[in-house]
Amino acid sequence: MTDDKKIIDLFFERSEQGIRELDMKYGKICHSLSYNIVNNRQDAEECVNDAYLGAWNTIPPARPDPLLSYIVKIVRNISLKIYWRKEAAKRSGHYKVTLEEIEDCIADQKTVEDEIETRELARIIGEFLDTLTLENRVIFMRRYWFADSYRNIARFMGLSEKNISVRLARIRGKMKQYLVEREVIV
């Protein structure tokens, strides 16, 4: 498998082989993430392809390090746009459940004026995640960043779904308390 630096070099050379290598190395992760959000194979495929085009258009000049985080963020953002366009009007959907679980902990930020507060909130949540054990951090990130189901997380972690459910409830409670202590409006 090609290393990230070589893939980025291929992008700088404008070689389409860079996209093929990126897909071989990270395609499964990208497709899984997108599918977890949009819940449709065809939409997920389109999101991943759009993300590859986005990477093609931004590399160069960007030289992302790590490449995985860079491409996953693009995939996630595109998938969320598709999700909100197709599912939010229905006021239903599996991803909405994931968001509802955590919405009690964080205030809704929708305006440009709230950008600074949003970045500060992200920094504080990052600090909170640093207080968790590695196992709990992985569980949290798989649920709320990668939109993984309890079943998939349980399988990945070698735990029961009930254990994952309980841990996530406790983590959300701790996060809410952490945000209250830092005077973040919740």
Side-chain angles (χ1 to χ4, degrees):
M1 196 152 300
T2 308
D3 73 348
D4 289 359
K5 184 181 177 335
K6 178 64 177 159
I7 294 171
I8 292 169
D9 289 344
L10 289 169
F11 273 79
F12 268 82
E13 294 167 9
R14 306 315 284 164
S15 169
E16 291 182 17
Q17 183 63 29
I19 293 174
R20 286 189 286 276
E21 294 292 334
L22 179 65
D23 186 54
M24 285 191 321
K25 187 164 185 181
Y26 297 125
K28 186 175 179 181
I29 293 168
C30 292
H31 283 88
S32 176
L33 168 61
S34 185
Y35 181 78
N36 285 345
I37 294 171
V38 299
N39 200 29
N40 178 294
R41 296 271 178 227
Q42 188 175 0
D43 287 344
E45 181 71 29
E46 186 177 318
C47 290
V48 172
N49 288 336
D50 288 350
Y52 292 164
L53 177 62
W56 181 262
N57 290 333
T58 56
I59 304 172
R63 196 174 274 282
D65 184 26
L67 180 59
L68 176 60
S69 297
Y70 187 79
I71 194 64
V72 164
K73 186 173 182 179
I74 295 172
V75 169
R76 186 173 190 273
N77 288 340
I78 291 170
S79 299
L80 286 172
K81 284 179 187 175
I82 296 293
Y83 170 80
W84 286 118
R85 187 179 72 214
K86 291 187 173 189
E87 299 293 329
K90 297 179 189 177
R91 302 197 51 85
S92 66
H94 73 285
Y95 192 66
K96 185 168 176 54
V97 172
T98 302
L99 295 175
E100 287 171 349
E101 288 177 1
I102 200 166
E103 75 181 355
D104 289 338
C105 299
I106 6 183
D108 192 15
Q109 306 292 330
K110 291 191 186 220
T111 65
V112 174
E113 292 80 23
D114 291 330
E115 181 66 26
I116 294 172
E117 290 177 18
T118 301
R119 288 177 189 233
E120 179 65 10
L121 177 60
R123 184 188 64 74
I124 291 170
I125 290 173
E127 289 175 357
F128 167 74
L129 291 175
D130 288 341
T131 69
L132 299 177
T133 65
L134 178 60
E135 190 172 65
N136 283 343
R137 195 171 338 148
V138 168
I139 291 168
F140 183 93
M141 294 300 292
R142 287 189 66 109
R143 180 67 177 162
Y144 300 114
W145 180 262
F146 292 100
D148 257 350
S149 67
Y150 287 12
R151 174 178 288 138
N152 287 344
I153 298 168
R155 204 173 344 188
F156 179 79
M157 300 299 293
L159 301 169
S160 69
E161 285 184 56
K162 181 67 176 169
N163 186 285
I164 297 300
S165 173
V166 169
R167 282 184 183 215
L168 285 167
R170 288 178 182 161
I171 293 168
R172 287 190 306 271
K174 287 178 185 177
M175 184 171 82
K176 187 170 185 172
Q177 183 61 37
Y178 189 88
L179 295 174
V180 167
E181 289 171 1
R182 275 135 192 90
E183 299 177 359
V184 175
I185 298 171
V186 290

